[in-house]
Amino acid sequence: MNSWLKPTRTEWITFFILMPAINIVALYIMFGKRLWHDGNLWLYAFWIGYFVGLVTWYLLVITMHKFQALMPELRQTPKRVTFEAICFTIITSIVFGFVFWGYDALRLFGFEATMLQFKLSIGVVLGTVMLTASLWESEYIYKKYKESFIEKETMQQLGMQQEFDSLRNQINPHFLFNCFNTLSSLISEDREQADAFLNELSKVYRYLLQNNEEGLSTLQDELNFIHSFYKLLKTRHGDAIELQIEVDKKYSNYLLPSLSLQLLVENAVKHNVVS
């Protein structure tokens, strides 16, 4: 079944709440105080009106859904609402006019119509229809706004993730190249230090490989990684570089983008003068 043919939960609720009230008001305008003591009006006229109201309500619902399918964008709201209002007025006037003057022509339940009764009745019905349609349209606008907001946030997150991945992919090969150069020099100068350097390098790259595809890591895991990363930098730059970390332990399990601290430290070294 096409989605535009299926009423929403809100539309069903408004029908079951408002339809009896609209029906009673219209019958009171047509029959006056006789409504309260004539059992035939409640036994027959009320349910005739209820059935006609159901048919009219469904026509209005599918009309609105069709316009929402044809003009779904938020920027099309004024145009969509205008077309809906015109169609609702036409549909409601035709259906109610047919029933009202049909009662008069057939003298159903002894009804004799006057133009004042018709104007009052159609005014009440149209006013209620427009009020109800405003509620339906408001629900649709809110839904579209929510979808638009979520889509915008998703696009922003994807953009940030792409930027982050781009930076990470640029830095990791650069970092590895420098480490290999340092290791090459240490092997010929200090084998013991070279072993220690290689051990830290393996820890660093094990973490890089494990977390390269992960979105988030705990702060404590990131800091442990930074300690190993710092030892590699310390081997390369000696006393020219120092690292001081002051973090409250209550933040240890907080999450942050994986490898983001490495980007900060690496850039701090890259864009400063080692002296």
Side-chain angles (χ1 to χ4, degrees):
M1 184 177 182
N2 293 329
S3 58
W4 60 274
L5 293 175
K6 184 178 180 181
T8 66
R9 182 172 179 269
T10 300
E11 289 159 355
W12 277 113
I13 291 174
T14 54
F15 170 77
F16 286 119
I17 292 177
L18 294 178
M19 190 59 234
I22 298 172
N23 200 11
I24 291 172
V25 171
L27 288 174
Y28 182 78
I29 293 173
M30 293 170 64
F31 294 99
K33 294 181 180 180
R34 180 184 158 198
L35 175 66
W36 309 125
H37 56 76
D38 190 336
N40 286 330
L41 295 180
W42 290 97
L43 189 61
Y44 300 108
F46 178 84
W47 292 107
I48 291 172
Y50 199 86
F51 175 77
V52 172
L54 175 63
V55 174
T56 306
W57 165 82
Y58 186 70
L59 288 173
L60 298 179
V61 167
I62 63 175
T63 298
M64 185 183 67
H65 288 185
K66 189 61 178 179
F67 279 121
Q68 289 172 349
L70 293 173
M71 295 175 279
E73 303 298 329
L74 286 173
R75 58 184 173 81
Q76 297 173 306
T77 297
K79 183 179 179 181
R80 182 177 63 249
V81 169
T82 300
F83 278 109
E84 289 173 357
I86 293 172
C87 289
F88 285 4
T89 301
I90 294 173
I91 292 172
T92 304
S93 299
I94 291 174
V95 174
F96 184 79
F98 178 80
V99 173
F100 187 89
W101 295 111
Y103 267 70
D104 177 72
L106 298 175
R107 292 292 188 268
L108 287 177
F109 310 105
F111 177 67
E112 294 183 18
T114 67
M115 187 55 66
L116 178 60
Q117 288 176 315
F118 178 73
K119 289 179 179 179
L120 285 174
S121 300
I122 196 68
V124 169
V125 173
L126 274 176
T128 308
V129 165
M130 292 304 175
L131 181 63
T132 307
S134 298
L135 176 63
W136 297 343
E137 185 64 28
S138 297
E139 181 187 38
Y140 176 79
I141 292 173
Y142 174 75
K143 177 184 175 183
K144 296 301 290 185
Y145 177 79
K146 189 176 180 180
E147 289 175 356
S148 176
F149 180 77
I150 293 174
E151 182 179 357
K152 182 179 178 181
E153 283 217 325
T154 301
M155 294 301 294
Q156 289 177 341
Q157 290 174 358
L158 288 174
M160 292 173 64
Q161 183 63 44
Q162 288 175 348
E163 290 178 10
F164 179 67
D165 289 342
S166 177
L167 283 172
R168 189 166 59 186
N169 291 333
Q170 290 174 19
I171 291 175
N172 288 351
H174 171 75
F175 166 69
L176 181 60
F177 180 76
N178 287 336
C179 286
F180 281 156
N181 283 341
T182 302
L183 181 61
S184 178
S185 299
L186 287 175
I187 289 175
S188 59
E189 297 175 6
D190 188 337
R191 288 184 175 275
E192 185 175 340
Q193 192 176 12
D195 287 340
F197 183 87
L198 184 59
N199 183 50
E200 294 299 331
L201 180 59
S202 67
K203 290 181 183 178
V204 166
Y205 250 82
R206 185 180 302 113
Y207 187 84
L208 290 175
L209 292 173
Q210 289 174 349
N211 291 274
N212 195 47
E213 300 302 326
E214 296 292 331
L216 298 171
S217 299
T218 65
L219 176 60
Q220 188 58 55
D221 287 342
E222 285 286 296
L223 291 177
N224 292 338
F225 166 69
I226 289 300
H227 282 296
S228 295
F229 183 64
Y230 168 64
K231 289 180 182 179
L232 299 181
L233 295 175
K234 188 72 173 175
T235 302
R236 287 169 53 193
H237 302 295
D239 294 334
I241 186 170
E242 294 289 339
L243 176 68
Q244 182 179 354
I245 299 176
E246 295 181 5
V247 179
D248 194 314
K249 290 185 178 179
K250 68 180 181 180
Y251 299 117
S252 296
N253 292 322
Y254 278 41
L255 299 176
L256 69 164
S258 300
L259 310 178
S260 56
L261 295 186
Q262 185 220 358
L263 298 181
L264 295 176
V265 175
E266 178 75 5
N267 280 322
V269 175
K270 180 179 178 181
H271 297 293
N272 284 278
V273 177
V274 177
S275 64

